[in-house]
Amino acid sequence: MKKRIITAVVLLAVLALVVWQINTPLFVAVIAFLSAVAANEIMKCANVKNKFIVITGTAFAAAVPFFASAKVLLPFVDTEPWSNVINSVPQVVYIIVLVLAFLLAMLKGYSHTKFEDVAIAVFASVLVPYGFSVFVRLRDMFVNEQFGIYLIFFGLICALGTDSGAQLGGMAFGKHKMSPNISPKKTIEGAVCGILFSMILNGAAIALYNAFADTKLELSTMVILLVCCVPISFMGMMGDLSASVLKRNFGVKDFGKIFPGHGGVMDRFDSSLFTIPLTYAVALVAFA
């Protein structure tokens, strides 16, 4: 418990620094670091032994967030030249090259590399980093930068608020198991409490945003966010269950040990990798 508390305090201090520097390349660098570590954790848990695949996949995962927006290097690099770099080659080309490199590595190291290793490496080094890159995309997608930053917190609240509310609600009211074969402690009552708690926290966040932001949210925007909070929070729980399935398949308790007492990056961001991209989808459809 002491180790968990110390780690939590350190993480809160780092979070405060990242929030303070959220409009600088430091924020993107932190997202890139988390992306690379998460990709590496998955490949190691899956026992991918091909060093070329692991190193290349980890490096690719670190690079993905820097291609999420033309604003990622401001104020050191202007948006126009970096936009030219990003748009010079379609990003799908990089993915194709990566997959081909993985397949060639499989052929070269066929004695210890299976196709399953390639499939896991593509998932870890492409899909997971693109999920993390949405943090940057949300930050930079609106002229009103404050709203984009708020949406990041909206997605995180849907993940963390639901998890905390579900745990407390399950302890207080839990009777019916939600998914006994995957996560025996999760209950339907806890899930309902988690979603309600997420809505309450997001309601409070909206009130704080309107109190301090330069431009207040319109009523229609607030309604859309609170309504969408329900399915997004639910999918956050599905993200947590999906991570549990992966860990069972890999035969591990945690994805990593980078956060003592809390596990790895994937252990902390499994739900967020569902809620943040869904928040981005809502923003594209409803607010862009």
Side-chain angles (χ1 to χ4, degrees):
M1 180 60 72
K2 182 180 178 181
K3 185 185 293 185
R4 287 179 62 88
I5 293 174
I6 293 174
T7 302
V9 171
V10 172
L11 288 176
L12 286 173
V14 173
L15 176 62
L17 175 63
V18 171
V19 172
W20 178 44
Q21 296 292 313
I22 199 167
N23 280 318
T24 72
L26 176 63
F27 175 72
V28 184
V30 170
I31 296 300
F33 173 76
L34 294 175
S35 174
V37 173
N40 190 267
E41 286 175 349
I42 294 173
M43 288 186 280
K44 284 191 173 181
C45 286
N47 200 27
V48 177
K49 297 179 180 178
N50 191 302
K51 290 184 179 180
F52 174 83
I53 290 179
V54 172
I55 293 172
T56 304
T58 302
F60 188 89
V64 167
F66 288 97
F67 285 75
S69 165
K71 300 178 181 179
V72 295
L73 297 180
L74 286 174
F76 304 109
V77 178
D78 289 336
T79 57
E80 185 175 349
W82 191 244
S83 177
N84 292 333
V85 172
I86 293 174
N87 297 322
S88 60
V89 178
Q91 293 191 24
V92 67
V93 173
Y94 296 120
I95 297 173
I96 291 172
V97 171
L98 180 73
V99 173
L100 291 176
F102 284 172
L103 290 172
L104 291 175
M106 178 187 70
L107 294 177
K108 186 176 186 299
Y110 67 92
S111 62
H112 60 278
T113 307
K114 300 178 181 179
F115 177 73
E116 289 88 339
D117 296 333
V118 173
I120 289 169
V122 171
F123 171 82
S125 55
V126 177
L127 294 181
V128 170
Y130 271 94
F132 274 105
S133 72
V134 175
F135 282 94
V136 182
R137 293 176 186 274
L138 277 173
R139 185 198 68 173
D140 296 340
M141 73 180 296
F142 295 101
V143 175
N144 179 6
E145 293 180 349
Q146 291 179 336
F147 183 55
I149 293 170
Y150 162 72
L151 288 177
I152 294 175
F153 286 96
F154 172 82
L156 289 175
I157 290 172
C158 285
L160 303 178
T162 303
D163 184 58
S164 300
Q167 186 175 12
L168 295 174
M171 292 171 60
F173 309 108
K175 292 182 179 179
H176 301 87
K177 301 294 183 182
M178 184 171 69
S179 185
N181 295 326
I182 299 175
S183 187
K185 293 183 179 180
K186 286 183 170 56
T187 63
I188 294 175
E189 292 82 3
V192 173
C193 289
I195 292 174
L196 291 175
F197 189 55
S198 173
M199 292 183 70
I200 292 170
L201 288 180
N202 271 309
I206 288 173
L208 287 173
Y209 180 88
N210 282 340
F212 295 101
D214 295 334
T215 304
K216 297 182 185 297
L217 298 179
E218 297 179 357
L219 178 61
S220 60
T221 300
M222 291 187 283
V223 171
I224 290 172
L225 288 171
L226 289 177
V227 170
C228 289
C229 180
V230 176
I232 292 176
S233 296
F234 174 77
M235 289 306 298
M237 288 188 285
M238 296 303 102
D240 185 44
L241 288 174
S242 297
S244 296
V245 169
L246 286 178
K247 286 187 281 189
R248 284 178 179 270
N249 289 341
F250 297 151
V252 298
K253 181 181 178 182
D254 295 316
F255 280 104
K257 300 179 181 179
I258 191 171
F259 303 133
H262 293 264
V265 171
M266 281 299 299
D267 295 294
R268 294 299 90 201
F269 286 88
D270 49 7
S271 299
S272 301
L273 288 177
F274 275 59
T275 61
I276 292 293
L278 284 171
T279 299
Y280 181 64
V282 169
L284 284 174
V285 173
F287 308 130

